[in-house]
């Protein structure tokens, strides 16, 4: 075969590969023997497709060609033989031995005999040479490594392992050049020639008068092919034609003009692109590539295509390309939001942020813990907190259910508002998306979809065909479009790597989606089932995000290569080429840079611990901002719609708000409205009952500030009063005077709150020892002192549409049909047993003990799945490792802590330091520590990887008080502040410094010992129960008392000679910060909430003096990040 014929084969191979004729490609490779595709060979070898492996090899070599070839075939057949033995398929092994391996006996008979003897062994690994043979997968990998070395050394494969280097779509280019030449030779050349076949030379039909030449573009529609086939195009024609209409710069089809956007395209060549077509020639947008001189073989008729082509017929000079004009005055640094006005601590790593399109100061934040939070940055407080939970496990796929049980950790990947601001979409690292309806400053569950297999990498809203939809992409290489009922409308296939990002957009009435994948490919899709219209390489060819300017006229992308090189570019949509590349990045980045655009004027990128700004019309860096320090290496950022506020993530799991002058006015205006609302509040008085005689004189009437006034643009739900919740004093803003002390709220009558008692809960024999809400918030689980667990669930109905726990409806005492009880193994003398419990994050199983073995119960069937760790010593506290459900920290009665691996049933290490039983454990993933507490009133801080002791600290007991009683610990959602409760005190510790920063001791009307305490779900409140029946609600930042709930408000009147009823344990709802559940000594469980009129406990409370030496310093942050509480809810 001649050299040119050989090159033609390579051109055909390229064409077939670009058109996705995969089988034909490899068949031609094998039959021609010109190119050995080592990647294809690897794929088939690792998949164990031995027949295909040998068939493919046969095109290049035979067994007896040389010693390299013989060794290659021997290794393949030996592996096939060993795998048959490993499957105990003796018949297949004998067949391979006789048919495939027999040929090698003539060359090495001893080896063949040794292979044959393997049939006599029960396990061929008994052979010394095969003793290290692992599993099939690892064995194939080792075999392929050896094969690759043999192939590279084999002279028969020389010069066949590398594909020749030439431009993409070279065959099409040559054909197009030929057609242009034929058109040049026409006697009567006509514009827009109608090319109907390649089988005959082109010739224009005669016409009156000569016409100006136009380059030839093959027409659409001629050769029938399945609908998934669509052709590639080429570069501009080889000649400089006379003037002809050029493409509209805003047309999506222009992306087809140049399949290599990173290359420089001469304007004359681009202009030569024959976009002007007859109406029948509407198939210029093709799959997977369709540049201007498209070799069209299939006509995809659609209204979108027709409209698109109409827009392409704009008149421009043939030898020039124009860009949209963006005239504005020179960029002023004062227009940029560069001044830090506030810092908010979220608690866990902030992954995604998005400002509401209408409420300019409302920011949605998604975290690595799976939690979603709405922040009102004007008042610096959280409006709504939504910890991650599965809304309907039964509706999820089996794959997802298995994945989440194996590893419950999950992170948000994207939060995004719909264009009208009525919906908030959230995507996660495992399968799911959530869509919330935003109404009246509350988030309501609207839609949960098991959208993709693996990670859902991006989410956006679009409006195709005047219907609001959600667009998603994921690791499964798919892009999907869903309507708001959860119905899947479109699935776009074509990417060969996980889809990293999506960018839906609309040009006039043409709606499309840009997508980028981890192989650096950019594709574009119309809302049909034809396939992608674009296939280009993004700069860096790895992680890339695309965004339009606010007016939709300019397209930008930003990304990072695997080598750490970052790119920020503007695209020329008419050409599908790069218009400009922005300068100013550091040489290498350790991750992927993030960017945003604003005001049709500025670009911002987070890199190198700072924010970098560019003017869109200049490639040079405009300025940088360090935001007073504290930014991560690659901060994430988001502008609000007006561009006067910028949210930037911080290294300590929070974010900062930067503002320009207009932004400061916006924030001041918000604070002014909030202050006027406070001044216009109505007065509410709380009566005092006979119980009040023992109260402090400071307890009585209270002036309540009304935070529900319509004057507030975004009311605060869930009972969080309008008070600043920032870690830092706001700067550059006029502060509001909040120094006036307010009196304490007292709840003394049942009519002042809502409450419900769990049915069948009263058991005078067994007090409630431990109490948990399910993580979904629909049930309560109580562990009694007798080791029996009871479960109550609320149903979803008209009275309770959310199905969540509420004090307004009585739940059902839930049991399986089998009638089983979740009863723990208990000792003969259970008097000294310490009950302990921990719930899995997905509510599928619960682990508990009561002086005996630890039991793992199935929450649906109540069956015991397994038991472990029999005493002595008995377990006294249980806590799941937050990042690995197979690791459990177990406090023991002998004062040690066992780190236990459930999977291998083994205690990995024992931590020793306490002098008495361990009564509390809490993990912090932020600080990577485990904090333990004991009956010795000691706190120990341990590293959570090497399990080394960092520090120990004794809590400060009153003079003369012996270190007795339980000490409990629970981390704030920021995973830095730690709540420590003991019968003598409540304390807040800064765990990063391992020191106490606030403390409250029982006093006045709340002078009895503390029995239990817990943070609210958003960590803004602390609830504490007392031995005399009182319940107190504290401000979590400073432990200032906000509200007292007297026993008369939720307990029945005591009868003569009856034993006093004591609240043994208190727990808080995982989503409702003002709902609390109490387990009592008579075995009953009660849920308590504020009245419908108030909806919250103790609004706007401040106390004139802390009479017991309360230490009130700089308040700690509030956060809604997801974290587990020790011996409580794993969230």
């Amino acid at each position: 075969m001649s050299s040119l014929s050989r090159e033609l084969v390579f051109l055909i191979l390229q064409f077939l590969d670009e058109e996705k004729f995969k089988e034909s490609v490899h068949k031609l490779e094998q039959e021609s023997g010109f190119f050995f595709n080592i990647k294809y060979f690897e794929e088939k070898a690792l998949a164990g497709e031995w027949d295909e492996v040998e068939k493919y090899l046969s095109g290049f070599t035979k067994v007896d060609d040389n010693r390299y070839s013989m060794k290659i075939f021997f290794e393949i057949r030996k592996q096939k033989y060993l795998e048959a033995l490993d499957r105990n398929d003796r018949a297949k092994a004998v067949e391979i031995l006789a048919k495939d391996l027999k040929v090698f006996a003539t060359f090495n008979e001893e080896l063949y005999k040794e292979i044959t003897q393997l049939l006599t062994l029960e396990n061929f690994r008994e052979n010394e040479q095969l003793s290290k043979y692992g599993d099939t997968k690892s064995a194939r990998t080792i075999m392929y490594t050896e094969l690759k070395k043999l192939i590279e050394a084999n002279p028969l494969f020389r010069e066949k392992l590398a594909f020749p280097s030439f431009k993409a779509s070279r065959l099409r280019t040559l054909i197009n050049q030929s057609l242009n030449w034929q058109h040049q030779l026409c006697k009567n050349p006509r514009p827009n020639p109608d090319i109907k076949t390649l089988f005959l030379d082109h010739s224009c039909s005669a016409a009156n008068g000569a016409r100006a030449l136009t380059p030839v573009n093959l027409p659409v529609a001629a050769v029938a092919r399945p609908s998934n086939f669509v052709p590639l195009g080429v570069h501009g024609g080889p000649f400089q034609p006379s003037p002809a209409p050029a493409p509209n710069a805003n047309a999506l089809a222009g992306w087809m003009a140049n399949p290599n956007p990173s290359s420089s395209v001469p304007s004359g060549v681009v202009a030569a692109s024959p976009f002007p077509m007859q109406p029948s020639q509407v198939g210029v947008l093709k799959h997977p590539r369709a540049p201007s001189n498209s070799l069209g073989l299939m006509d995809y008729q659609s209204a979108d295509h027709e409209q698109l082509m109409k827009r392409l017929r704009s008149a421009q000079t043939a030898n020039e390309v124009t860009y949209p004009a963006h005239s504005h005055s020179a960029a002023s640094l004062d227009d940029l939001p560069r001044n830090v006005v506030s810092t908010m601590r979220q608690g866990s790593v902030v992954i995604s942020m998005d400002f509401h399109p209408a409420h300019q100061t409302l920011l949605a934040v998604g975290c690595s813990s799976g939690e979603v939070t709405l922040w009102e940055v004007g008042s610096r407080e959280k409006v709504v907190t939504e910890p991650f939970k599965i809304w309907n496990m039964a509706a999820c796929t089996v794959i997802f259910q298995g994945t989440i049980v194996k590893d419950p950790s999950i992170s948000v990947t994207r939060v995004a508002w719909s264009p009208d601001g009525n919906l908030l979409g959230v995507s996660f690292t495992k399968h799911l998306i959530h869509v919330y309806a935003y109404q009246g400053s509350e988030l309501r569950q609207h839609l949960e979809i098991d959208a993709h297999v693996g990670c859902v990498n991006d989410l956006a809203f679009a409006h195709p065909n005047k219907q609001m939809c959600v667009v998603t992409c994921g690791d499964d290489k798919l892009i999907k479009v869903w309507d708001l009922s959860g119905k899947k409308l479109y699935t776009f296939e074509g990417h060969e790597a996980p889809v990293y990002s999506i960018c839906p957009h609309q040009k006039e009435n043409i709606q499309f989606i840009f997508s980028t994948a981890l192989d650096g490919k950019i594709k574009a899709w119309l809302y049909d089932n034809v396939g992608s219209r674009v296939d280009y390489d993004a700069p860096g060819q790895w992680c890339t995000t695309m965004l339009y300017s606010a007016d939709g006229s300019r397209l930008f992308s930003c990304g990072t290569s695997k080598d750490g090189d970052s790119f920020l570019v503007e695209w020329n949509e008419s050409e599908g080429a790069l218009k400009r590349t922005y300068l100013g990045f550091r040489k290498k980045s350790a991750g992927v840079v993030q960017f945003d655009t604003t005001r049709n004027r500025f670009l911002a990128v987070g890199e190198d611990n700072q924010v970098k700004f560019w003017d869109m019309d200049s490639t040079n860096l405009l300025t940088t901002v360090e935001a007073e320090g504290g930014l991560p290496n690659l901060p994430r950022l988001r502008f609000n719609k007006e561009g006067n506020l910028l949210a930037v993530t911080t290294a300590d799991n929070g974010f900062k708000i930067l503002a320009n002058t207009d932004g400061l006015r916006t924030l001041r205006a918000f604070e002014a409205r909030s202050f006027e609302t406070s001044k216009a509040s109505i007065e509410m008085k709380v009566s005092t009952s006979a119980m009040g005689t023992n109260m402090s004189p400071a307890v009585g009437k209270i002036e309540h500030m009304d935070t529900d006034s319509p004057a507030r643009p975004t009311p605060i739900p869930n009972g969080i009063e309008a008070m600043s919740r920032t870690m830092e004093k706001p700067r550059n803003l006029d502060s509001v005077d909040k120094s006036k002390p307010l009196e304490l709220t007292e709840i003394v009558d049942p009519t002042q709150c809502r409450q419900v008692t769990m049915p069948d809960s009263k058991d005078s024999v067994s007090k409630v020892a431990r109490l948990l809400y399910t993580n979904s918030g629909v049930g309560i689980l109580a562990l009694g002192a007798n080791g029996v667990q009871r479960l109550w669930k609320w149903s979803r109905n008209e009275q309770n549409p959310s199905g969540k726990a509420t004090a307004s409806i009585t739940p059902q005492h839930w049991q399986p049909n089998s009638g089983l009880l979740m009863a723990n193994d208990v000792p003969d003398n259970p008097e000294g047993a310490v009950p302990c419990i921990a719930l899995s994050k997905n509510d599928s199983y619960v682990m508990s003990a009561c002086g005996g073995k630890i039991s793992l119960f199935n929450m649906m069937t109540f069956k015991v799945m397994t038991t472990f760790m029999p005493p002595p010593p008995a377990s006294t506290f249980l806590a799941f490792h937050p990042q690995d459900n197979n690791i459990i920290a177990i406090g023991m009665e002998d004062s040690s802590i066992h780190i236990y691996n459930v999977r291998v049933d083994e205690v990995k290490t024992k931590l020793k330091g306490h002098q008495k039983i361990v009564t509390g454990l809490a993990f912090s993933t932020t600080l990577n520590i485990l904090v333990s507490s004991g009956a010795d009133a000691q706190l120990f801080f341990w590293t959570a990887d090497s399990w080394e002791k960092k520090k120990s600290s004794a809590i400060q007991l009153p003079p003369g008080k012996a270190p007795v009683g339980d000490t409990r610990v629970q981390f704030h959602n920021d995973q830095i502040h730690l709540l420590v409760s003991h019968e003598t005190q409540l304390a807040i510790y800064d765990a990063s410094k391992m020191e106490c920063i606030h403390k409250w001791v029982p006093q006045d009307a709340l002078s009895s010992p503390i029995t239990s305490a817990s943070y609210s779900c958003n960590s803004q409140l602390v609830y504490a129960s007392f031995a005399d029946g009182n319940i107190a609600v504290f401000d979590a930042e400073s432990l200032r008392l906000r509200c007292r709930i007297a026993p008369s408000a939720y307990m029945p009147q005591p009868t003569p000679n009856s034993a006093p009823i004591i609240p043994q344990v208190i727990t808080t709802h995982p989503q409702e910060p003002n709902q609390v559940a109490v387990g009592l000594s008579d075995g009953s469980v009660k849920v308590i909430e504020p009245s419908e009129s108030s909806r919250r406990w103790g609004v706007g409370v401040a106390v004139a003096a802390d009479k017991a030496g309360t230490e009130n310093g700089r308040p700690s942050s509030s956060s809604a990040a997801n974290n587990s509480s020790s011996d409580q809810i794993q969230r």
Side-chain angles (χ1 to χ4, degrees), residues 913-931:
H914 286 285
Q915 302 300 314
K916 295 184 179 180
I917 69 169
V918 176
T919 58
L921 296 167
F923 282 97
S924 168
T925 54
T926 297
L927 300 176
N928 193 35
I929 61 173
L930 169 68
V931 178

Side-chain angles (χ1 to χ4, degrees), residues 477-494:
K477 308 175 186 178
L478 300 177
I479 299 151
K480 299 182 182 181
V481 182
W482 315 83
D483 68 14
L484 296 184
S485 67
K487 178 183 177 182
K488 184 166 60 180
L489 302 179
Y490 301 99
T491 298
F492 299 133
E493 301 182 44

Side-chain angles (χ1 to χ4, degrees), residues 340 476 567 771 796 840 849 1111:
V340 178
D476 55 8
F567 301 88
L771 192 63
R796 189 188 300 270
S840 67
E1111 300 165 27

Side-chain angles (χ1 to χ4, degrees), residues 589-609:
S589 295
V592 181
V593 296
Q594 306 291 322
F595 86 119
D596 200 7
T597 71
T598 186
R599 289 185 159 189
N600 305 311
R601 188 172 179 181
F602 297 113
L603 300 166
V605 173
E607 194 218 24
D608 202 16
N609 306 98

Side-chain angles (χ1 to χ4, degrees), residues 48-94:
E49 298 180 25
W50 308 120
D51 292 342
E52 178 60 23
V53 166
E54 287 206 23
K55 183 179 178 181
Y56 190 73
L57 269 174
S58 67
F60 302 87
T61 186
K62 300 293 184 290
V63 175
D64 55 355
D65 278 348
N66 57 40
R67 61 190 181 93
Y68 296 103
S69 299
M70 182 179 296
K71 178 67 171 172
I72 290 170
F73 281 93
F74 175 77
E75 290 297 327
I76 292 170
R77 296 174 181 181
K78 181 185 73 173
Q79 180 63 28
K80 181 165 65 169
Y81 175 69
L82 292 177
E83 288 185 20
L85 290 176
D86 211 21
R87 297 192 305 267
N88 290 320
D89 190 348
R90 301 282 171 172
K92 184 65 176 177
V94 171

